[in-house]
């Protein structure tokens, strides 16, 4: 009897036609096995979150920055300074209390913009003040960046970008600006890499460089025009000496791009690109990048769409990144929940920890690969994890699945076996016999209580079908490592 192993490979997003590919990964990411590994590709659980510190005013986390072992945090209308012991100092008050902010530093000052006003905090004197220079934009931009001692921003509703004086965010000269030259369009954002200043328009991007000229230091790189603009200014991040951003041009939108030199490249596969293209509201997208266990991740959230995605740069897979949220109450007054966007917003690497803001309230959370719950999410802090496997089909012949084994990490539950009543490490297996269009009956198997390292379950008699798809899911608070689904099958006569 043939034995078939279904590996964890391919896209992590379904195709427009699920009969082509129904694969869909939620809160699980792919790991490439090294030489000599049991399998070439396996699936591991994404990191969970735990409380780091509560911000005093309990308000929305809007921006994070690290400088000299101190964190600067915009929460609600307050700019805080925090040390590694969790001591907060109120540095000043903004005029707004909600919405994304941008925060930068030159080592001497910290600058914040919130889309209405700009603010500076002088570290040596402790002075916090609104930027009142008449040549500073009013209303202020929502995004400001730093390069070579200067703050730089794209003036709202214009094709102009402005630069501050060197090492002084409060000083802006009337003639220290320039205009994008290639196309009569407003700028969406200015962004900096190590060497370049990128001026993102709606449909294309110019590259400028700092020449050190004493009159005006920036000039355009001749012969360079990137024929994609930016769909969401807060989607732009620096990573691996280049940028990733949510792009658009006059032919369409919602592509995740990076630059190879000055050549734009789509970083997601066909099916992931289709998933993004079906989103309606994308301008409010927010992104950050972090590196964990040697892997670099680009995390992007679409707040209006209530969706988050995690892009693994090593495997080029885009997975759904979700957290539980309360949708309301039922007829008995009990809370009801669903999975939506991930709870993280903004990021900093601080105190040798991966710290994110909680978009719901004024909490700083720590991302940890060895934590398997999300702090204060849903009825039990669990994380909904699932992997929909590739289709199993052969020449459209009817195939009988006589048995199924899930090869997975077992016995690693952090909960002692004696206390697992009602919280056993279980895996749900749902079966589709129509190529992933619908999933019928489900079976539940144990993946081993604590210490049951040799535990495995063999399920029998799944019946006949031409196009098999299996979906594995769990919300148990333990490390989930899925290696393969092993089937015993028998084909009808050809």
């Amino acid at each position: 009897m043939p034995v078939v192993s279904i590996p964890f490979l391919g896209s992590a997003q379904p195709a427009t036609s699920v009969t082509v590919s129904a694969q869909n990964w939620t809160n699980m990411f792919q790991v490439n096995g090294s030489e000599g590994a049991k399998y070439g590709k396996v699936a591991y659980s994404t990191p969970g979150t735990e409380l780091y510190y509560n911000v005093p005013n309990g308000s929305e986390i809007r921006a994070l920055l690290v400088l000299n072992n101190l964190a600067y945090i915009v929460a609600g209308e307050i700019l805080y300074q925090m040390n590694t012991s969790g001591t907060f100092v109120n540095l000043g008050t903004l005029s707004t209390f909600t919405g994304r902010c941008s925060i930068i530093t030159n080592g001497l000052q910290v600058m914040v913009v919130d889309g209405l006003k700009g603010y500076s905090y002088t570290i040596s004197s402790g002075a916090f003040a609104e930027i009142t220079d008449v040549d500073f934009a009013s209303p202020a931009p929502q995004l400001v960046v730093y390069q070579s001692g200067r703050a730089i921003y794209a003036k709202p509703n214009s094709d102009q970008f402005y630069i501050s004086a060197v090492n002084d965010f409060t000083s802006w000269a009337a003639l220290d600006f320039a205009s994008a030259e290639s196309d009569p369009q407003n700028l969406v954002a200015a962004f900096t890499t190590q060497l370049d200043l990128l001026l993102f328009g709606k449909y294309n991007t110019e590259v400028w460089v700092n020449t050190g000229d004493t009159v005006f230091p920036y000039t355009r790189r001749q012969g360079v025009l990137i024929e994609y603009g930016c769909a969401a200014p807060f989607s732009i991040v620096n990573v691996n000496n280049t940028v990733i951003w949510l792009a658009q041009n006059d032919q369409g939108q919602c592509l995740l791009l990076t630059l190879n030199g000055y050549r734009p490249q789509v970083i997601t596969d066909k099916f992931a690109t289709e998933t993004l293209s079906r989103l309606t509201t994308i301008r409010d997208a927010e992104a950050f990048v972090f590196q964990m266990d040697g892997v670099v991740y680009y995390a992007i959230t679409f707040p209006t769409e209530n969706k988050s995605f995690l892009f693994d740069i090593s495997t080029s897979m885009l997975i759904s990144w979700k957290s539980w949220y309360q949708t309301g109450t039922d007829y008995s007054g009990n809370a009801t929940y669903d999975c939506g966007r991930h709870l993280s917003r903004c990021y900093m690497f601080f105190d040798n920890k991966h710290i994110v803001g909680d978009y719901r309230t004024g909490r700083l959370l720590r991302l940890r690969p060895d934590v398997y719950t999300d702090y204060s999410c849903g009825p039990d802090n669990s994380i909904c994890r699932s992997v929909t496997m590739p289709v199993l089909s052969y020449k459209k012949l009817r195939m009988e699945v006589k048995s199924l084994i899930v090869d997975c990490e077992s016995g690693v539950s952090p909960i002692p076996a004696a206390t697992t009543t009602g919280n056993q490490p279980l895996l749900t297996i749902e079966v589709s016999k129509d190529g992933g269009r619908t999933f019928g009956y489900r079976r539940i198997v144990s993946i081993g209580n604590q210490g049951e390292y040799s535990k495995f379950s063999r399920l029998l008699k799944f019946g006949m079908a031409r196009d098999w798809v299996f979906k594995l899911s769990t919300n148990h608070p333990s490390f989930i490592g899925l290696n393969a689904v092993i089937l015993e099958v028998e084909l009808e006569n050809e």
Side-chain angles (χ1 to χ4, degrees):
M1 185 180 300
V3 177
V4 178
S5 176
I6 308 178
F8 292 94
L9 50 77
S11 179
Q13 296 295 326
T16 301
S17 171
V18 294
T19 57
V20 175
S21 174
Q23 291 185 86
N24 197 351
W25 295 48
T26 297
N27 294 329
M28 299 288 292
F29 65 92
Q30 187 184 94
V31 175
N32 293 325
S34 59
E35 185 176 353
K38 185 177 181 181
Y39 295 99
K41 298 179 186 294
V42 296
Y44 284 177
S45 47
T46 52
T49 54
E50 65 180 12
L51 181 65
Y52 184 57
Y53 290 119
N54 285 304
V55 177
N57 66 356
S59 296
E60 169 189 352
I61 306 296
R62 305 172 65 189
L64 299 172
L65 173 75
V66 176
L67 176 65
N68 297 333
N69 295 318
L70 294 171
Y72 293 85
I73 303 156
V74 180
E77 74 279 19
I78 305 297
L79 173 63
Y80 289 103
Q81 182 189 81
M82 181 190 74
N83 63 18
T84 56
S85 299
T87 301
F88 289 82
V89 178
N90 185 330
L91 302 181
T93 303
L94 283 64
S95 297
T96 61
F97 60 89
T98 189
R100 273 298 301 265
C101 290
S102 184
I103 185 169
I104 60 171
T105 182
N106 57 17
L108 304 174
Q109 301 163 308
V110 173
M111 179 179 176
V112 177
V113 294
D114 59 7
L116 181 64
K117 297 179 179 180
Y119 313 86
S120 68
Y121 170 73
T122 302
I123 296 171
S124 60
S125 66
F128 177 90
E130 179 187 339
I131 297 174
T132 56
D133 192 306
V134 295
D135 296 312
F136 184 70
S138 181
Q142 201 171 19
L143 179 64
V144 64
V145 293
Y146 171 83
Q147 189 179 66
S148 302
R150 300 178 187 270
I152 306 171
Y153 66 84
K155 183 179 179 181
N157 302 312
S158 80
D159 62 356
Q160 300 171 346
F161 71 95
Y162 284 72
I163 63 175
S164 72
V166 175
N167 291 328
D168 188 357
F169 294 155
T170 67
S171 179
W172 301 79
L175 298 180
D176 274 350
F177 77 94
S179 298
E181 301 171 349
S182 62
D183 197 16
Q185 61 176 335
N186 290 340
L187 292 177
V188 174
F191 201 80
T192 54
T193 64
Q194 283 188 325
L195 300 176
D196 294 319
L197 169 63
L198 303 176
L199 299 181
F200 288 93
K202 186 176 182 180
Y203 294 139
N204 58 49
T205 301
E206 293 183 3
V207 181
W208 290 55
V209 62
N210 188 336
T211 64
D213 188 280
T214 57
V215 177
F216 187 78
Y218 285 92
T219 187
R220 185 182 169 195
R221 281 195 187 274
Q222 295 303 310
V224 178
L225 180 65
I226 301 165
E227 294 185 345
Y228 285 92
C230 181
F234 281 101
S235 71
I236 313 168
V237 301
N238 281 308
V239 56
N240 292 346
N241 296 317
T242 184
V243 294
I244 294 176
W245 81 101
L246 189 66
Q248 65 182 11
N249 61 15
D250 56 3
Q251 300 165 2
Q253 65 178 11
C254 224
L255 296 171
L256 279 182
L257 297 186
T258 190
L259 290 179
N260 182 2
Y262 299 114
R263 179 172 298 178
Q265 292 184 341
V266 179
I267 59 175
T268 51
D269 61 48
K270 168 64 175 172
F271 300 150
T273 301
E274 288 177 2
T275 296
L276 294 175
S277 70
R278 289 192 287 269
L279 300 176
T280 301
T281 303
I282 61 174
R283 181 169 173 77
D284 60 352
E286 306 173 357
F288 61 84
V289 65
F290 66 98
Q291 178 180 309
M292 183 176 287
D293 292 342
V295 179
V296 179
Y297 300 96
Y298 173 85
I300 185 167
T301 292
F302 299 84
T304 301
E305 298 286 332
N306 196 24
K307 294 181 183 295
S308 297
F309 300 93
L310 198 60
F311 179 75
D312 180 341
I313 290 177
S314 66
T315 62
S316 297
M317 290 187 72
L318 185 79
I319 68 164
S320 297
W321 202 25
K322 296 184 178 183
S323 298
W324 292 105
Y325 71 100
Q326 185 173 346
T327 58
T329 56
D330 62 19
Y331 64 91
S332 299
N334 299 314
T336 57
Y337 298 91
D338 197 1
C339 274
R341 61 167 289 182
H342 194 259
L343 54 78
S344 60
R345 187 192 202 191
C346 313
Y347 169 85
M348 62 181 175
F349 188 67
F350 178 68
D351 190 21
N352 289 321
K353 300 175 177 65
H354 299 279
I355 306 300
V356 294
D358 186 334
Y359 81 92
R360 303 165 302 175
T361 186
R363 288 186 285 244
L364 297 174
L365 305 176
R366 181 182 177 187
L367 283 173
R368 291 186 57 168
D370 57 347
V371 169
Y372 311 113
T373 55
D374 269 340
Y375 184 80
S376 191
C377 277
D380 55 5
N381 300 332
S382 64
I383 298 176
C384 50
R385 306 187 189 277
S386 65
V387 174
T388 303
M389 305 290 290
V391 64
L392 177 63
S393 180
Y394 182 74
K395 296 182 179 180
K396 279 298 183 181
L397 294 176
R398 283 163 53 84
M399 180 187 305
E400 181 181 3
V401 174
K402 292 183 172 294
S403 71
L404 177 150
I405 296 173
V406 179
D407 187 347
C408 65
E409 188 83 13
S410 59
V412 294
S413 171
I415 304 170
T419 62
T420 57
T421 303
N423 195 16
Q424 295 182 29
L426 302 176
L427 187 69
T428 299
I429 303 171
E430 297 177 72
V431 182
S432 172
K433 295 185 177 182
D434 54 16
R437 289 187 182 92
T438 61
F439 286 84
Y441 66 93
R442 62 181 62 187
R443 298 192 183 183
I444 299 175
V445 299
S446 172
I447 53 177
N449 287 321
Q450 188 180 92
E452 294 181 334
Y453 302 119
S454 300
K455 176 76 173 181
F456 77 93
S457 297
R458 183 170 180 252
L459 303 179
L460 304 175
K461 297 182 179 180
F462 284 84
M464 300 281 289
R466 289 185 171 87
D467 297 302
W468 291 90
V469 175
F470 296 91
K471 179 180 179 181
L472 315 178
S473 60
T474 183
N475 63 354
H476 190 264
S478 62
F479 170 74
I480 305 298
L482 303 177
N483 301 326
V485 172
I486 302 169
L487 306 174
E488 288 181 300
V489 302
E490 186 171 310
L491 294 172
E492 68 179 358
N493 293 331
E494 295 192 39

